[in-house]
Amino acid sequence: MATFQTLPGFREFYPEDLARRNHVFRSWRQTASRFGFSEYDAPVLEPLELYKAKSGDEIEGQLFSFTDKGGREVALRPEMTPTVCRLVGARANALKRPIKWFSIAEFFRYERMQKGRGRCFYQFNADIFGEPGCEAEIELIALLVQCLCAFGLTEQDFYVRLSDRNLWFYYLESLGLDEPRVRAMLSAVDRHEKYGDAAFEPYIKEFGPLDETVKSRVLGFLGVKSLAALEQVLASQPDSRLAARLADWRRVLEALDAMGLAGYVEVDLGVVRGLAYYTGFVFEAFDRKGDLRALAGGGRYDDLVQKLGGPALPAVGFAIGDMTFSLLLEQRGLMPKYIDAPDVYCVIGGANERRAAYREIHALRAAGFRVDYPLRETAFGKQFKAAAESGAKLALIFGSDEVARGAAKIRDLTQRTETEVPREQVVAHVRDFFSAG
RNA sequence: GCGGCCAUAGCUCAGUUGGUUAGAGCACAAGAUUGUGGAUCUUGGGGUCGCGGGUUCAAGUCCCGUUGGCCGCCCCA
């Protein structure tokens, strides 16, 4: 038994685990790149103040924070948003618009562990800066959906719930609530799904009994699950700001429908996300079966860049966490078995054949193929077994007969067929095999 | 920060009212096997029974503490 343990909530990645992680990251990276997003990275350790400025002093309890040897208060990053706001804010005037950035990075939160949540985790973050129009939301929601679909997940597996804090704000103001009451009410709306009417208790405690008309209006609004229902509720509420928001909603939903993504997106005003800094559309992705925590979440945060010391710059972003997402892939059987499989596994007779095989092994590797072979002399039966277990598509056989003829056999391990080719043609044959798919 | 359950081999677990030298399957390794597939058989390596203390003639087993894990609450950027 090892004397030292990993710190609670931290993870170690043995090769198989890292292969799975890399598989996920590779796909996210490729998808983001196809959507025209550029990758960035930044320090893991940041001034504690960066997070306090965004989230308030209470946040410190959830951080890995300490004082460094220079007396600086620092924290391991618990999220990317403040960091990316600083990066963008610092060069806002020099960056080409639109600013479409993404990152894949590790984060740390001092929290109790639970299913799908640890003290360290990775997130894919994607953000668009400088675009006030809802085309930014369209682009990001499409990216979010494709980041999940790229693994074979479908609309049977997950969906994105779309809501709008602006709409809520305007609606509650039209009901006569002032800003402190609106904020308290949004908090109640956020908790209503879980606690029912008990979610209003904090509001009642702070502001007194809840007007029944207001309550029924809020419950009605909270139950809106479609554009048609939204239009109907707002029809009785003439307000120019609400009408403008409704036009944005139509644009977003029409665009996503045009992309063929309508089946992934559901209007759901019951989602508001607790975070006070969101200023417009907010969205969260969930497992359809619903036994996992949220897969991803995001929204518009138009004031945050300025609040963190940058220029006024509208922004929208979302993040996907690796833990819940990997759980979902495993549950759906979508995590491939062979990720690090070689293309070619060599079967080698004896010392003489090994000397001959080295040339082709290296030539294939130099040509870009993943090639493996046994380091020690091993019985043929075992080598074929090892070849099959490795997940290789081809076995390259160097027996004494073949080597004597200046040839090698290429065995298709799936079809169980073999062809003998002159050794100088091995690379070309392997290339043909893989380019033919 | 709070509550419930749990801890025996790399993994999944068995282990009798407390009783001799702690077991199985899987995995790993060697052989059967000197040229063709995830098989079979044989054999092998692997354990401070999480850690510390207590009760006892005797503790993997009972008690206390501690550390870690799972699940839930709070929180979830």
Side-chain angles (χ1 to χ4, degrees):
Chain A
M1 203 56 66
T3 309
F4 297 107
Q5 300 181 322
T6 50
L7 260 13
F10 282 73
R11 295 184 285 172
E12 292 171 309
F13 292 86
Y14 282 79
E16 285 176 24
D17 307 316
L18 189 58
R20 283 191 281 267
R21 192 182 95 189
N22 283 338
H23 170 71
V24 170
F25 289 180
R26 199 155 39 230
S27 180
W28 283 344
R29 215 167 242 129
Q30 186 180 60
T31 302
S33 172
R34 288 175 183 174
F35 275 69
F37 283 70
S38 304
E39 188 168 6
Y40 66 92
D41 201 358
V44 173
L45 198 63
E46 291 277 14
L48 177 60
E49 199 51 37
L50 181 63
Y51 304 112
K52 284 188 174 176
K54 183 203 162 209
S55 307
D57 290 348
E58 325 77 63
I59 195 67
E60 189 170 353
Q62 320 264 0
L63 299 178
F64 276 93
S65 60
F66 57 95
T67 307
D68 77 3
K69 289 179 183 176
R72 284 172 285 261
E73 293 286 311
V74 297
L76 289 170
R77 62 185 173 198
E79 58 167 327
M80 195 54 110
T81 306
T83 300
V84 72
C85 283
R86 180 188 62 213
L87 261 64
V88 169
R91 297 195 186 171
N93 295 330
L95 293 169
K96 275 198 191 353
R97 312 293 174 93
I99 301 164
K100 295 164 66 178
W101 284 11
F102 82 97
S103 64
I104 294 171
E106 189 171 23
F107 300 94
F108 304 87
R109 296 178 187 176
Y110 202 88
E111 291 187 291
R112 196 78 181 158
M113 289 188 59
Q114 265 174 58
K115 188 178 184 185
R117 189 172 82 176
R119 286 181 169 182
C120 70
F121 56 93
Y122 290 85
Q123 275 186 350
F124 169 88
N125 274 261
D127 296 271
I128 296 179
F129 294 89
E131 177 49 63
C134 61
E135 285 72 20
E137 278 88 341
I138 294 165
E139 181 78 338
L140 283 165
I141 292 169
L143 173 60
L144 167 57
V145 170
Q146 187 54 33
C147 276
L148 306 198
C149 288
F151 295 87
L153 292 166
T154 70
E155 56 186 80
Q156 317 297 321
D157 298 305
F158 76 95
Y159 66 114
V160 178
R161 301 165 80 186
L162 180 63
S163 183
D164 183 353
R165 284 177 67 95
N166 254 355
L167 199 57
W168 267 108
F169 225 99
Y170 299 155
Y171 186 72
L172 293 174
E173 282 185 344
S174 79
L175 295 179
L177 275 61
D178 59 13
E179 186 172 333
R181 284 180 172 77
V182 166
R183 294 203 172 277
M185 186 58 81
L186 284 178
S187 166
V189 168
D190 186 44
R191 303 165 76 85
H192 191 271
E193 186 169 28
K194 205 165 182 181
Y195 299 101
D197 281 4
F200 295 114
E201 293 301 335
Y203 179 93
I204 292 168
K205 210 170 184 178
E206 192 174 352
F207 298 106
L210 183 55
D211 183 276
E212 280 306 317
T213 313
V214 170
K215 184 180 172 184
S216 70
R217 290 294 190 92
V218 166
L219 289 177
F221 207 55
L222 182 153
V224 166
K225 302 282 193 238
S226 70
L227 183 60
L230 181 58
E231 285 169 335
Q232 195 180 347
V233 170
L234 295 183
S236 62
Q237 208 76 24
D239 180 312
S240 62
R241 293 182 308 175
L242 286 170
R245 280 312 276 170
L246 199 50
D248 283 343
W249 271 84
R250 290 197 191 94
R251 270 158 69 201
V252 169
L253 293 173
E254 279 168 17
L256 292 170
D257 185 41
M259 289 180 180
L261 305 180
Y264 290 98
V265 181
E266 294 188 4
V267 176
D268 190 343
L269 295 189
V271 176
V272 293
R273 292 180 69 79
L275 303 322
Y277 67 84
Y278 282 119
T279 57
F281 283 105
V282 290
F283 47 94
E284 294 190 320
F286 286 90
D287 167 26
R288 284 270 186 202
K289 286 187 182 158
D291 51 348
L292 297 171
R293 48 180 66 239
L295 292 160
R300 179 169 284 276
Y301 50 99
D302 282 347
D303 302 330
L304 197 54
V305 176
Q306 189 167 37
K307 191 177 171 189
L308 292 173
L313 193 65
V316 197
F318 73 85
I320 313 174
D322 74 310
M323 293 183 78
T324 300
F325 184 70
S326 298
L327 279 173
L328 180 64
L329 287 188
E330 302 279 3
Q331 281 183 10
R332 296 293 195 279
L334 292 171
M335 195 68 91
K337 187 178 176 195
Y338 296 112
I339 295 171
D340 282 341
D343 299 312
V344 178
Y345 192 94
C346 296
V347 174
I348 300 166
N352 203 33
E353 290 74 33
R354 179 174 295 267
R355 275 193 294 278
Y358 280 139
R359 193 178 73 183
E360 270 62 49
I361 288 168
H362 191 77
L364 282 167
R365 287 169 167 176
F369 296 101
R370 297 176 51 164
V371 181
D372 207 358
Y373 65 99
L375 295 179
R376 291 189 308 190
E377 202 166 311
T378 313
F380 263 63
K382 286 225 165 143
Q383 295 193 57
F384 279 102
K385 188 175 165 182
E389 285 176 345
S390 76
K393 295 279 190 301
L394 295 181
L396 189 56
I397 305 164
F398 294 91
S400 54
D401 299 348
E402 291 87 348
V403 170
R405 288 194 289 270
K409 273 193 187 128
I410 297 176
R411 182 175 176 85
D412 183 328
L413 289 166
T414 311
Q415 303 296 319
R416 297 180 178 238
T417 55
E418 272 177 21
T419 52
E420 184 166 314
V421 301
R423 281 175 53 201
E424 55 274 15
Q425 293 177 25
V426 163
V427 173
H429 271 80
V430 169
R431 188 179 284 126
D432 287 349
F433 176 86
F434 283 104
S435 61

